[in-house]
Amino acid sequence: MTLRFHKMHGLGNDFVVVDARAAPVPMDGARAARLADRREGVGCDQVILLDASATADATMRIWNADGSEAEACGNASRCVALLLGAASTVETRGGRLALRADGDGATVDMGPPRFNWDAVPLAYPLDTAHLPVAWEDLADPAALSVGNPHIVFFVPDADAVPLDRLGPLIERDPLFPARINVGVAQVTGPASLTLRVWERGAGLTRACGTGACAAGVAAIRRGLVASPVAVALPGGTLRIDWAPGGTIRMSGPAAHVFTGEVEGI
């Protein structure tokens, strides 16, 4: 079977996007993992399947490179905005998103953050603003859901953290029954952060849109920065707007690299 796809990326966080709105395309975790394989497949951090929706312009499903399904993906949402064009709405497992394409980028309304322990989720009740837990020198994190689960540590030097080693340990800690995305953020100014993210099911990536949302919200909530926040990731910078009680707006670039076809996957 020939599969047609779009290769896209947001700040280097790359995707294989399959548009199944006109005709169904079978997809599951095993097939997504084969597509994501950088040696024997197309290669990407996440596989995105667009499908028809009765209540929105499309439904978006997201699989990580390891075949696990994710609830939300900020960088992919901006890529989808480019494909759909103009203003659109998309249903995801993490909630309904409002997208607006703008030149070479897009703005996404990611909905409100969720701070309750069972919404993250955690295995048991804890103060999500200041979790009383630590992994080696990483301590006093914030936890929240921005459609998918995140833990954010504020550190003096984000580049100095051995996230390739600690990230998988934290991701799979029993405290997080759905696993978790792990961010280390450094405050660099009154409205700016530097951020690195270990993505659940994908590992270290050049950018994580939901990670930028989580770090920006957590920093605003602690009074460390003011909104809007410029969040610098290895692949580039995203703008995060949020006020307590409101929804998160994420703005940044997205790119369509090529359209291709693959057989036998």
Side-chain angles (χ1 to χ4, degrees):
M1 176 182 176
T2 299
L3 179 68
R4 184 176 174 85
F5 65 89
H6 301 279
K7 185 66 185 290
M8 307 187 76
H9 77 87
L11 300 182
N13 182 195
D14 64 332
F15 312 101
V16 168
V17 184
V18 178
D19 191 346
R21 287 176 295 163
V25 175
M27 188 67 66
D28 57 18
R31 191 180 195 191
R34 292 195 298 271
L35 283 168
D37 190 290
R38 295 192 184 275
R39 289 186 171 86
E40 298 182 1
V42 178
C44 62
D45 293 320
Q46 281 90 17
V47 172
I48 309 301
L49 181 72
L50 293 181
D51 209 341
S53 170
T55 60
D57 293 294
T59 296
M60 180 171 71
R61 293 181 67 185
I62 305 147
W63 284 270
N64 294 312
D66 68 352
S68 60
E69 192 166 359
E71 303 89 348
C73 182
N75 287 323
S77 300
R78 296 198 314 280
C79 291
V80 168
L82 291 190
L83 285 180
L84 297 180
S88 55
T89 56
V90 171
E91 294 287 347
T92 73
R93 288 179 62 196
R96 188 184 182 98
L97 306 179
L99 318 177
R100 187 181 74 249
D102 182 15
D104 293 331
T107 295
V108 181
D109 188 323
M110 299 291 292
R114 296 182 281 279
F115 302 113
N116 290 344
W117 70 271
D118 53 349
V120 175
L122 304 180
Y124 45 84
L126 287 174
D127 177 9
T128 61
H130 292 275
L131 286 180
V133 295
W135 290 265
E136 297 183 11
D137 293 334
L138 290 180
D140 188 31
L144 66 158
S145 171
V146 292
N148 58 0
H150 283 265
I151 186 169
V152 182
F153 298 86
F154 293 97
V155 298
D157 184 353
D159 289 331
V161 176
L163 198 54
D164 55 342
R165 180 173 59 82
L166 293 176
L169 297 178
I170 300 170
E171 174 194 347
R172 295 179 177 275
D173 191 283
L175 178 59
F176 310 113
R179 296 157 60 191
I180 202 158
N181 298 282
V182 185
V184 289
Q186 174 185 346
V187 177
T188 55
S192 62
L193 300 171
T194 293
L195 176 69
R196 295 171 62 222
V197 181
W198 176 272
E199 289 199 53
R200 177 187 57 169
L204 288 172
T205 59
R206 292 184 62 196
C208 178
T210 56
C213 292
V217 167
I220 294 166
R221 193 183 184 203
R222 287 194 179 184
L224 301 175
V225 297
S227 182
V229 187
V231 181
L233 298 123
T237 299
L238 295 173
R239 172 181 163 136
I240 307 300
D241 289 88
W242 178 71
T247 61
I248 310 165
R249 286 178 297 154
M250 173 194 59
S251 302
H256 188 284
V257 184
F258 64 87
T259 298
E261 294 181 345
V262 62
E263 295 185 3
I265 295 181

